Every structure is written in structure tokens, then in C-alpha cells.
């Protein structure tokens, strides 16, 4: 499967999905991002699983690739690691004619993506996502960033990949807890765009959680088509791209309140339910929506109730979310399962009374 992603008038790239595609990496890089040099950036966990295959495939197409690794985990998504990687590329003699291959999860995609965005003022980037979250979300859309002491993802750049290569077979080694993080975003894709996809996730929950290759392949294809379509229609998040933030206003607040000890996907799952309950109370979201989402999320083992944090603290944390415009907190709400809610002003975000959000948090609290 090949999906075209348009990012603005002049930038477009393909997302190619297929089982076993890692073996074609060399040919695909040669075709979409030909360069004199090729640098593969991966965390140490992913490198242990897949660096040999990637390097062999690149050698097979005439590249002399260099492998650069860093310790796995969000703690590596820093300016320091970015500086280390760019310095290693300079030491290695890389110039403008270099392609960066980001082989890994969202941390690698964001970090290596930002390396590619800045190295020699920008060199081609090939995204090879290896986590479900990166396949269905992080690798698509051209956002790259590192975390800084003031917050996550605050320093970065838009840098569209030359191509995104998605090989669902790589998910066979992904731990279940990481698989669930991606499933939360996949449920979100169904929630904003297709009720039938929610039904299918519920139906296929068993195979999905046991990393059945066919089930994951189908899931990845649906989500990529959804994200690619929405991002293509609105690359700069002026309109419909905001629907991808469903559940995320509350999710980001919960992450902040727990000092990021709650995984992002878990926070999104809870956020989807909390925002649906609050949307129902505000007569924006059809009754029964929250219940339907909670049922689907529960079948794939995701939490649907917020941890015991005072509602006032969660509301306070929403105010430091970067989506706040002019002080009001905006939510990307649903009309019903499978359909995002359009606001009265034609936009895709709307304000909610604090009281209804607090009531939703309290009514769901564990
Ligand atoms: N740029 C964007 O638009 C965007 C969107 C969403 C999330 N993100 C970012 O993505 C990051 C989260 O991504 P993530 O959840 O993939 O984190 P991650 O990259 O840290 O991967 C999670 C863990 O899974 C391991 N892993 C990855 N693939 C594996 C595989 N195939 N087999 C075995 N282990 C594997 C990694 O080594 C890591 O330990 C966050 O930093 C977030 O900010 C970016
Ligand atoms: Zn998310």
C-alpha cells in the first residue's frame, strides 16, 4: 500500500506499507532519497533487533552506511543527544549529500528527524518506524523535536521525510505495553473518522494484543490512511488536523500532573473518555459516546478512568497546554463515535465549561 501525504503546496511524500519491507530498505532509500552517504540512527534496543537487517539491505544497494545509536527511551530526546549525533556525523565526514534513516519508535523519529532537519541546514530523512505508535502517528506529518527542561517537544522543526517505510512485521518484537500505546492512537483515529473501525478493533482485540501480523497490518493501514488524509488537508494545523488532538487536552494535563509517569497512550485513552463525558454534558457529543469508547478501549486493555488527582489540578494543568488560545482551553470533541464535532464557528476545537470537565473527571475517578 502506498499513501501520499501532502504537506503544503510543494512538499509531498509517500508512506509505503508492506510486510517485509525492511529487506527493501536499500532500494527504497536509493529511489526516494539517493545520497552519497547514509546514516542510520536507532536506539540501542531497536538496533539490537534490526540494525543488521537494515545495514545489510543498504549495503546491498551500494551504500556504505554508518550506524549511530543512543540509549532507548524518552530521556534521550534531548538537545545533548541531538548535538552528539550531529557531531558524530561531522566527525564521520558527512556532508550535504547525506540521507538520515530514522529506524525506531517515536523518540528516534523525533530526534533523528531533528538531526536531519538541522544538519547542513537540512538533509533528506527516511522514517522507518518500528513501534506501533510511530507507525500510526509519530512518523507521519513532518514534525520533529526534542524535549527541553521547560517541556516536551518545545524545540524542533517541521521536516518532511522523503519517504516513510512501514513494515508491520517489525512489531513482532514490540512489548505489549508499547503496543497498547499505539492502540490508543488507533482507537482515536476510529473515534474521529469511522465507527466501523472501532467495531473492528473490538472484534480483533485478541489477535491485535497477541501481535498477530495480519491484524496489525490491517490496523496500521487504516490509521495511516486516516492520519495521512487529515494531515494532507491541513498540514499546519489550522483546521481539521486539530481533530487528531481528540482526548489530548486532558491527556497532556494528566501527563503533566503525574510528571509523565503515566504513558502517553494510557493518558489518551482516559482523555478520550473524559472529554466525551464532558462533551455529552455540554450537549456537543451524543449520549452513549463515552460508554462506547470506554468499551472499545477496555477490550484492548487500555485504562478509561483517571488516576486519583483532584479535578482542579487537572484543569490547572490544561492551562499550560500549548493548544490554549488567548487563555481559553480548547478541546477537540466528538459528535458521536466515528465523527469529530465541528464547532459553531466552523473550527474543530471548542471551549468547555470547567464545571463540566471537573464533573466528568470526578464521575470517572477510580
Ligand atoms: N512527531 C510527531 O508527530 C509525534 C507524534 C506522536 C508522538 N511523538 C513522540 O513519539 C515518542 C513516543 O514514541 P514511542 O512510543 O514509539 O517511543 P520509543 O521510541 O521510546 O519506543 C518505545 C520503546 O519501544 C522500543 N521499540 C521500538 N520499536 C521496537 C520494536 N520493533 N521491537 C522492540 N522494541 C521496540 C524502543 O526501544 C523503546 O524502548 C514521544 O517522544 C512523542 O513525543 C511524536
Ligand atoms: Zn498522541
Amino acid at each position: 500500500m502506498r499513501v501520499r501525504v501532502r504537506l503544503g503546496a510543494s512538499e509531498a511524500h509517500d508512506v509505503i506499507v508492506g510486510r517485509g519491507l525492511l529487506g527493501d530498505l536499500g532500494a527504497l532509500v536509493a529511489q526516494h532519497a539517493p545520497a552519497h552517504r547514509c546514516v542510520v540512527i536507532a536506539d540501542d534496543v531497536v538496533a539490537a533487533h534490526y540494525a543488521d537487517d537494515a545495514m545489510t539491505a543498504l549495503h546491498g544497494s551500494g551504500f556504505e552506511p554508518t550506524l549511530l545509536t543512543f540509549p532507548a527511551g524518552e530521556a534521550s530526546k534531548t538537545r545533548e543527544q541531538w548535538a552528539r549525533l550531529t557531531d558524530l556525523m561531522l566527525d564521520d565526514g558527512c556532508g550535504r549529500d547525506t540521507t538520515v534513516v530514522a529506524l525506531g519508535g517515536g523518540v528516534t523519529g523525533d530526534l533523528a528527524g531533528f538531526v536531519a532537519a538541522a544538519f547542513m541546514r537540512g538533509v533528506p530523512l527516511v522514517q522507518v518506524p518500528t513501534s506501533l505508535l510511530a507507525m500510526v502517528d509519530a512518523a507521519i506529518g513532518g514534525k520533529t523535536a526534542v524535549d527541553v527542561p521547560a517541556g516536551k517537544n518545545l524545540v524542533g522543526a517541521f521536516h518532511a521525510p522523503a519517504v516513510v517505510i512501514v513494515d508491520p512485521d517489525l512489531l513482532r518484537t514490540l512489548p505489549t505495553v508499547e503496543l497498547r500505546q499505539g492502540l490508543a492512537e488507533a482507537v482515536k483515529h476510529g473515534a474521529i473518522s469511522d465507527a466501523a473501525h472501532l467495531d473492528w478493533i473490538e472484534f480483533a482485540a485478541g489477535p491485535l494484543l497477541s501481535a498477530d501480523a495480519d491484524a496489525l497490518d490491517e490496523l496500521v493501514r487504516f490509521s495511516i490512511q486516516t492520519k495521512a488524509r487529515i494531515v494532507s488537508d491541513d498540514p499546519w494545523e489550522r483546521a481539521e488536523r486539530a481533530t487528531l488532538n481528540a482526548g489530548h487536552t486532558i491527556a497532556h494535563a494528566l501527563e503533566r500532573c503525574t510528571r509523565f509517569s503515566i504513558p502517553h497512550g494510557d493518558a489518551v485513552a482516559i482523555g478520550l473518555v473524559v472529554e466525551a463525558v464532558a462533551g455529552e454534558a455540554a450537549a456537543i457529543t451524543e449520549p452513549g459516546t463515552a460508554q462506547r469508547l470506554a468499551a472499545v478501549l477496555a477490550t484492548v486493555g487500555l485504562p478509561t478512568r483517571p488516576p486519583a488527582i483532584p479535578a482542579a489540578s487537572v484543569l490547572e494543568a490544561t492551562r499550560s497546554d500549548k493548544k490554549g488560545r488567548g487563555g481559553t482551553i480548547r478541546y477537540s470533541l466528538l459528535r458521536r463515535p466515528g465523527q469529530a464535532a465541528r464547532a459553531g464557528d466552523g473550527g474543530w476545537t471548542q471551549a468547555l465549561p470547567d464545571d463540566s470537565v471537573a464533573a466528568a473527571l470526578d464521575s470517572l475517578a477510580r
Side-chain angles (χ1 to χ4, degrees):
M1 181 182 89
R2 197 178 273 260
V3 182
R4 192 98 180 131
V5 181
R6 282 172 284 110
L7 299 171
S10 56
E11 294 216 69
H13 67 84
D14 284 338
V15 183
I16 307 174
V17 186
R19 294 181 53 192
L21 273 184
L22 186 63
D24 300 334
L25 181 64
L28 289 167
V29 171
Q31 183 189 345
H32 293 272
H36 179 57
R37 299 292 305 270
C38 181
V39 173
V40 177
I41 300 182
D43 72 35
D44 50 4
V45 173
V46 169
H49 286 295
Y50 300 112
D52 282 354
D53 291 348
M55 302 300 270
T56 302
L58 287 163
H59 273 296
S61 290
F63 289 102
E64 293 290 333
T66 302
L67 175 68
L68 300 180
T69 63
F70 63 88
E74 185 77 26
S76 285
K77 217 177 94 175
T78 59
R79 284 187 290 225
E80 290 72 27
Q81 205 52 251
W82 173 88
R84 181 185 150 261
L85 292 167
T86 48
D87 284 346
L88 285 171
M89 285 174 63
L90 291 168
D91 290 348
D92 198 39
C94 293
R96 268 214 59 76
D97 197 13
T98 301
T99 287
V100 171
V101 176
L103 175 69
V107 164
T108 304
D110 279 7
L111 175 64
F114 191 38
V115 166
F119 191 77
M120 304 274 162
R121 299 196 186 87
V123 295
L125 168 68
V126 173
Q127 291 274 13
V128 187
T130 63
S131 71
L132 183 59
L133 183 111
M135 290 183 187
V136 302
D137 192 359
I140 302 165
K143 290 185 184 175
T144 75
V146 293
D147 303 331
V148 295
K152 284 185 64 174
N153 297 322
L154 292 184
V155 174
F158 272 98
H159 188 60
V163 66
V164 182
I165 300 166
V166 178
D167 179 352
D169 280 354
L170 307 187
L171 297 173
R172 66 178 176 265
T173 53
L174 189 69
T176 309
V177 53
E178 299 296 345
L179 201 63
R180 273 204 293 269
Q181 303 311 307
L183 283 167
E185 302 287 354
V187 170
K188 178 196 75 182
H189 289 139
I192 62 175
S193 75
D194 187 354
H197 187 62
L198 291 175
D199 299 344
W200 179 81
I201 290 177
E202 196 174 37
F203 164 77
L208 286 169
L209 286 173
S210 54
D212 175 79
D214 289 331
L216 286 170
D217 189 55
E218 184 159 347
L219 183 89
V220 162
R221 285 167 194 258
F222 175 87
S223 273
I224 287 175
Q225 280 168 319
T226 305
K227 183 159 184 188
R229 180 187 62 73
I230 293 173
V231 165
S232 293
D233 289 346
D234 179 22
W236 311 119
E237 200 167 324
R238 298 206 175 96
E240 199 191 347
R241 190 163 177 171
T243 61
L244 293 167
N245 291 328
H248 277 63
T249 304
I250 291 298
H252 289 153
L254 292 173
E255 290 180 285
R256 214 166 278 135
C257 286
T258 59
R259 294 176 187 227
F260 295 92
S261 64
I262 182 170
H264 178 69
D266 286 12
V268 170
I270 297 164
L272 283 168
V273 179
V274 171
E275 292 182 16
V277 170
E280 288 179 28
I284 294 165
T285 305
E286 279 181 9
T289 302
Q291 210 180 355
R292 178 73 193 121
L293 293 179
V296 177
L297 290 163
T299 57
V300 290
L302 283 159
T304 57
R305 292 177 176 279
I309 303 168
S313 308
V314 179
L315 280 165
E316 187 53 39
T318 63
R319 298 192 205 296
S320 45
D321 195 296
K322 58 184 190 268
K323 280 192 298 300
R325 281 195 205 133
T328 21
I329 306 312
R330 315 276 305 179
Y331 294 83
S332 303
L333 298 174
L334 300 180
R335 176 74 59 222
R336 58 179 71 85
Q339 192 184 336
R342 193 135 205 186
D345 63 3
W348 294 94
T349 62
Q350 42 209 316
L352 279 177
D354 276 1
D355 287 354
S356 56
V357 179
L361 285 161
D362 287 337
S363 72
L364 290 164
R366 283 178 220 155

